[in-house]
Amino acid sequence: MDPLDPFLLPPDVVLTAVADLPPHVREQVSGDGEFAITRPRARSSTRVLSRDSADLIQEFRTAKTVVEAVIKYCSAKGSDPESTLEEAFPILQNLVAAEFLVPADSENAVEIEPGFKQNQVVEGYTIVETVQTLDDSEVYRVSSPDGQLAALKIARSADNRSIAKALRREAQILLALQGAPAPRFLAEGKLDKRPYLVMSWIEGHSVAQVANELRRHREYAKLISLCVAVVRAYGSLHARDILHCDVHPRNVLVTGANEPIIIDFGLAVRSSAQDHERRHAPRGGVPTFFEPEYAKARIAGQTPPPATQASEQYALGALIYLLITGHPYLQFAVGKTEMLNQIVQDPPQPLDAGTFPNAGQLQSILHRALAKEPGSRFASVEQFADALQAAQIAEVARPPATQGFGSQRERFAESVLRRFALDGTLFQNGYPSAPRLSINYGAAGAAYALYRLAVLRGDAEQLALADAWATRAYAQRTSDGSFYNDEMGLSAAKVGPISPYHSPSGVFFVRALIAHAMGDFVSVQNALQGFVAAADQPCGNPDLTLGRASVLLACSLLSDAIPEHPLVDRAPLTALGARIALKLEEEITCYSSIAECKQVPMLGIAHGWAGLLYALMLWRKVCGKELAPHFRERLQQLEELGEPRGAGLRWKIRLDTKRARVGYMSGWCNGAAGMVFLWLLANEIYGEAHFLELAEKAARNAWEDADRATTLCCGSAGSAYALLAFYRAQREKSWLTRAEEFTEKAVQNASAGAESSLYKGDLGIALLANEIAHPTYASMPVFELERWQRV
């Protein structure tokens, strides 16, 4: 880069404030800075710049030398040109290398636009539409002279050797294949010295889209059959001496006849080619499908090894895992080095036994294909396909009794969720009665439920809908009737100012989770700031749903769900949680024994001792700190108040002897279902099997003494989540079956349309009806830690 050569910022290069970036772009941005520079149709990744660097770059909107640009910039800013040039030169060099800044007389100095227009005839083919335009190539759907549809792929430049080689390589591979499982070769040539390739047009959907629909409808036998067909398609390539070398979901299309077609052979090689030829063939692809051999070389800075059938099998294992589960086989880190190390070292995540009755068999097959050592994988991908097909795929679907219920709960859930569409009256007019915005009763709860469903399904549109509801709640948070309703006993004096379940802090809580799922870390930061400001207020009530313990619980959930990130300062959140935890611990130390305590006469999760102890243990779990020695005594005191009933244990709602009648409940808020969560967490913290026994006895009482109510708060929906939690701890199928029966009861008895709230209405039941099919990922809303990954 010569400082005296004129450079230009091409007209389609965009400088955008990081806060204004679309979520799918912001998700890929790393580094500190206020502005992002991107070229939408270029292969260069988005970079982050400081405000000063962004201002300097703008000088190149007209052609200038580096010296001229620096002098003009410094004249406007009043800066020293010499020191500015010294600081800026490395940044400018990087932007030139990434082709954001280009020589003023180069072909890249103009906007990247399609070279051909609709209906234009190119080499006898008529352009139907532009499929893709990049800085090095273009793809069009075209019509041949005889009316057949085809795909035209052409280099944008005559001197781009890498694209020319890729097109020549793809043409040779397609010629050798002569069709399925790939497009048919039709023609190749040069147009104005630019190489092009024409192949048959494949009408279909990406394999990931098809798999998503099969999972959504729980058609697991068809899903595994699809996976077998995909692996056999690659086996067909291997049988013809061809390695695709670019395995990922967008490169497999599924036709209307459910036939997988593999596309994009620009990196493909012949497996029998000379070692020298294969070693010099380019390696590339999507990083999450790299094999460990490749990752090791990249970490060491060495030339990657040539592709092999074993390496392609590993990539296929990653693809099949993704298709079956809907998420990658590892929880990949954002950083490149960390991700490569995961590929080398980390085992695949276990399959969900609740979703796949033969999960152990499927898991064994996938683990073999994903073995870290090539020699431990299947001898061929055909053997991989045979193993999948032999996995009794007809048994992958749920048992018949459950299937019938599945369709019933799906119909119920969809009928509830339809009310939350953007064009529905509920969104247009808002909740009909106060409190309209809270998590428990209103729009923030709607946003939270839609967010959970979006992440569960991997549905970006659903996540956008959740964001719309959260934005609505945020915009109206100061309006009348937002969080209180005296007639319902939800007065400002009773509910208090800080509870995430009932106050504005809950709106910020939900916005933070949604922003994190969207990869919008600037909005995450803003939401966390809003949450801390709203929740850090005086409140004398300690309990879990109305008082300080509710804020501590939310601090735990946010701290666990939102990782460290350069754009997010979690210190105020952590400091708030630490202050509340310390104060609560100090208070309960001064109280009498639970049986004699007048300050907290209730025992359950929502308003009693169980909630206080749960919130403190969860905070300590998330922060990795030990509890005070006296804490174990409080758990023992609560245990001693349990009363045997049948095969289980139950606890009074309260110990206030002045009341004529002291009752019992089985639900989450004041009953045995809530105690299940407490004792399971105690087992995690202390590692004592005795606590697991207490959890089982609480679960048995929740099951045997089930109340008539159906909601998350008081009824069978909340109890179902408790039984799911115990199922995850023990993996006894009987508990999953009981949770399903509770879900069925909630669905059958819910008054669909009568109440749209999360905790007190049918929205929480609709969420459960979706999550019950994925028990590994299900978690009691705004209470248990999240168990899944973001969009």
Side-chain angles (χ1 to χ4, degrees):
M1 174 182 171
D2 190 333
L4 300 180
D5 287 341
F7 285 87
L8 183 69
L9 199 65
D12 54 345
V13 170
V14 180
L15 280 163
T16 311
V18 169
D20 296 334
L21 284 174
H24 73 279
V25 176
R26 193 184 304 116
E27 187 177 67
Q28 302 173 41
V29 171
S30 60
D32 297 322
E34 299 174 74
F35 287 84
I37 183 170
T38 188
R39 195 172 189 184
R41 288 174 169 167
R43 295 187 186 271
S44 302
S45 59
T46 300
R47 310 291 174 88
V48 176
L49 302 172
S50 67
R51 179 178 293 275
D52 289 340
S53 296
D55 289 344
L56 174 57
I57 291 301
Q58 295 282 21
E59 296 295 337
F60 291 96
R61 287 297 182 187
T62 57
K64 293 184 183 69
T65 67
V66 171
V67 172
E68 288 172 338
V70 168
I71 290 174
K72 187 172 181 182
Y73 166 82
C74 290
S75 176
K77 294 282 188 177
S79 307
D80 175 57
E82 186 174 349
S83 60
T84 299
L85 179 59
E86 183 178 349
E87 293 175 7
F89 197 74
I91 298 171
L92 297 176
Q93 280 184 312
N94 288 333
L95 294 177
V96 169
E99 296 187 337
F100 287 116
L101 273 181
V102 299
D105 58 354
S106 73
E107 294 180 356
N108 284 336
V110 298
E111 183 174 353
I112 301 173
E113 292 184 316
F116 306 119
K117 297 180 180 178
Q118 190 176 15
N119 296 325
Q120 184 175 348
V121 178
V122 179
E123 298 291 271
Y125 294 92
T126 303
I127 303 295
V128 177
E129 67 172 338
T130 303
V131 176
Q132 185 181 65
T133 301
L134 296 174
D135 54 357
D136 56 9
S137 62
E138 301 166 3
V139 180
Y140 299 90
R141 183 158 66 117
V142 298
S143 176
S144 67
D146 61 359
Q148 297 298 310
L149 289 178
L152 169 68
K153 188 182 292 188
I154 185 169
R156 286 181 61 86
S157 169
D159 55 5
N160 190 324
R161 293 184 179 180
S162 62
I163 289 296
K165 288 181 178 179
L167 289 172
R168 180 84 272 269
R169 184 183 301 109
E170 185 163 16
Q172 291 173 336
I173 296 295
L174 295 182
L175 269 169
L177 289 173
Q178 291 296 318
R184 288 181 293 105
F185 171 87
L186 297 179
E188 67 173 327
K190 290 187 178 181
L191 178 64
D192 298 330
K193 298 183 179 180
R194 293 189 293 157
Y196 69 83
L197 168 65
V198 185
M199 66 198 85
S200 60
W201 178 259
I202 304 300
E203 193 68 53
H205 299 284
S206 84
V207 70
Q209 289 176 301
V210 177
N212 286 344
E213 282 302 304
L214 293 174
R215 282 198 315 276
R216 183 172 181 177
H217 295 288
R218 296 171 178 82
E219 296 184 88
Y220 296 118
K222 291 183 180 179
L223 176 61
I224 303 302
S225 294
L226 172 67
C227 293
V228 170
V230 170
V231 177
R232 292 211 186 282
Y234 276 89
S236 176
L237 293 184
H238 291 187
R240 302 186 202 187
D241 193 35
I242 291 167
L243 297 171
H244 182 235
C245 302
D246 196 8
V247 176
H248 63 79
R250 293 188 302 278
N251 277 348
V252 181
L253 299 179
V254 180
T255 68
N258 291 321
E259 179 186 12
I261 302 294
I262 302 167
I263 63 172
D264 201 347
F265 287 83
L267 296 174
V269 296
R270 291 183 178 275
S271 55
S272 64
Q274 296 293 322
D275 187 62
H276 173 79
E277 181 182 343
R278 287 197 300 120
R279 284 191 175 277
H280 286 80
R283 293 292 311 271
V286 176
T288 52
F289 296 89
F290 289 167
E291 75 274 14
E293 307 92 274
Y294 186 103
K296 285 179 183 177
R298 289 285 295 270
I299 293 169
Q302 299 171 350
T303 301
T308 64
Q309 290 189 5
S311 69
E312 189 138 287
Q313 182 184 147
Y314 189 94
L316 269 174
L319 174 62
I320 299 305
Y321 187 104
L322 175 67
L323 299 181
I324 289 176
T325 66
H327 59 80
Y329 71 101
L330 296 173
Q331 292 187 16
F332 285 107
V334 176
K336 183 186 297 183
T337 301
E338 293 88 342
M339 183 194 70
L340 293 174
N341 277 316
Q342 286 178 299
I343 293 172
V344 173
Q345 300 171 4
D346 293 357
Q349 301 178 81
L351 293 187
D352 183 354
T355 300
F356 304 100
N358 62 342
Q361 190 175 8
L362 285 171
Q363 184 167 289
S364 176
I365 294 167
L366 291 172
H367 278 219
R368 184 171 177 185
L370 290 165
K372 302 302 180 183
E373 295 298 326
S376 299
R377 298 168 200 157
F378 290 100
S380 67
V381 296
E382 276 296 334
Q383 284 193 12
F384 180 18
D386 290 342
L388 279 173
Q389 195 157 30
Q392 297 178 344
I393 59 176
E395 300 299 321
V396 172
R398 287 186 170 273
T402 308
Q403 287 179 346
F405 168 53
S407 60
Q408 177 188 1
R409 71 177 179 230
E410 288 163 13
R411 290 194 298 271
F412 167 81
E414 291 305 316
S415 71
V416 172
L417 294 173
R418 277 197 295 271
R419 302 202 302 270
F420 294 87
L422 290 180
D423 58 357
T425 56
L426 194 57
F427 184 84
Q428 297 295 324
N429 302 326
Y431 275 71
S433 60
R436 298 184 180 90
L437 302 183
S438 68
I439 284 180
N440 270 27
Y441 288 92
Y448 179 85
L450 293 167
Y451 144 76
R452 289 276 291 265
L453 288 172
V455 180
L456 182 68
R457 296 172 174 178
D459 189 335
E461 291 185 9
Q462 186 99 15
L463 187 59
L465 178 61
D467 187 46
W469 273 96
T471 301
R472 180 187 181 90
Y474 173 78
Q476 298 180 354
R477 68 191 185 282
T478 59
S479 60
D480 292 339
S482 297
F483 300 100
Y484 309 117
N485 185 327
D486 291 349
E487 293 180 0
M488 294 174 61
L490 298 171
S491 65
K494 181 176 180 179
V495 170
I498 65 173
S499 167
Y501 293 106
H502 297 285
S503 81
S505 70
V507 175
F508 291 105
F509 171 87
V510 174
R511 280 171 64 85
L513 292 175
I514 293 173
H516 175 248
M518 298 177 107
D520 182 355
F521 288 100
V522 173
S523 294
V524 170
Q525 174 64 24
N526 292 337
L528 290 183
Q529 288 177 342
F531 171 78
V532 171
D536 193 7
Q537 300 183 51
C539 179
N541 191 343
D543 82 31
L544 186 88
T545 55
L546 301 177
R548 284 168 285 141
S550 68
V551 176
L552 180 61
L553 176 63
C555 289
S556 299
L557 299 178
L558 289 173
S559 297
D560 181 73
I562 298 173
E564 298 285 352
H565 190 275
L567 296 178
V568 177
D569 179 12
R570 301 196 311 170
L573 178 73
T574 305
L576 175 63
R579 289 199 305 274
I580 294 175
L582 180 61
K583 182 66 175 176
L584 285 175
E585 285 183 331
E586 290 175 349
E587 287 182 10
I588 67 173
T589 300
C590 299
Y591 293 161
S592 302
S593 69
I594 295 179
E596 300 172 348
C597 179
K598 296 182 179 179
Q599 294 92 334
V600 184
M602 301 185 75
L603 300 183
I605 282 287
H607 306 293
W609 274 95
L612 296 180
L613 299 179
Y614 179 88
L616 285 167
M617 282 196 293
L618 194 65
W619 176 253
R620 295 310 184 195
K621 174 185 175 180
V622 170
C623 295
K625 297 180 180 179
E626 292 186 3
L627 291 159
H630 70 270
F631 194 90
R632 178 67 179 76
E633 298 175 11
R634 292 299 189 184
L635 290 170
Q636 184 176 350
Q637 292 170 8
L638 187 59
E639 173 192 342
E640 291 171 352
L641 293 172
E643 301 175 6
R645 179 174 172 81
L649 280 176
R650 65 178 183 177
W651 283 259
K652 290 184 174 72
I653 296 174
R654 60 187 301 139
L655 297 177
D656 187 349
T657 56
K658 293 181 180 179
R659 298 205 170 204
R661 181 177 179 273
V662 179
Y664 302 87
M665 289 182 65
S666 63
W668 169 83
C669 57
N670 291 300
M675 295 293 185
V676 175
F677 296 106
L678 174 75
W679 300 124
L680 286 175
L681 184 55
N683 177 60
E684 285 187 55
I685 297 292
Y686 291 99
E688 297 179 17
H690 174 62
F691 288 124
L692 199 59
E693 294 172 3
L694 289 173
E696 181 173 7
K697 290 179 179 180
R700 289 195 178 280
N701 183 257
W703 168 249
E704 293 170 357
D705 285 0
D707 295 317
R708 292 184 178 180
T710 60
T711 63
L712 287 181
C713 181
C714 312
S716 54
S719 294
Y721 274 113
L723 301 188
L724 282 174
F726 189 73
Y727 162 73
R728 286 191 298 271
Q730 290 292 82
R731 292 291 172 177
E732 290 184 12
K733 187 66 182 292
S734 61
W735 290 106
L736 176 59
T737 301
R738 288 165 181 158
E740 289 176 329
E741 291 181 16
F742 266 171
T743 306
E744 180 178 8
K745 174 186 174 184
V747 167
Q748 290 175 342
N749 296 330
S751 300
E755 174 62 76
S756 297
S757 69
L758 178 65
Y759 255 73
K760 295 288 188 176
D762 56 17
L763 179 58
I765 300 170
L767 177 60
L768 169 66
N770 279 270
E771 290 194 344
I772 190 73
H774 307 275
T776 297
Y777 303 105
S779 57
M780 181 74 178
V782 199
F783 183 70
E784 286 187 275
L785 299 179
E786 303 271 335
R787 287 188 168 83
W788 47 55
Q789 302 183 56
R790 66 180 179 88
V791 172

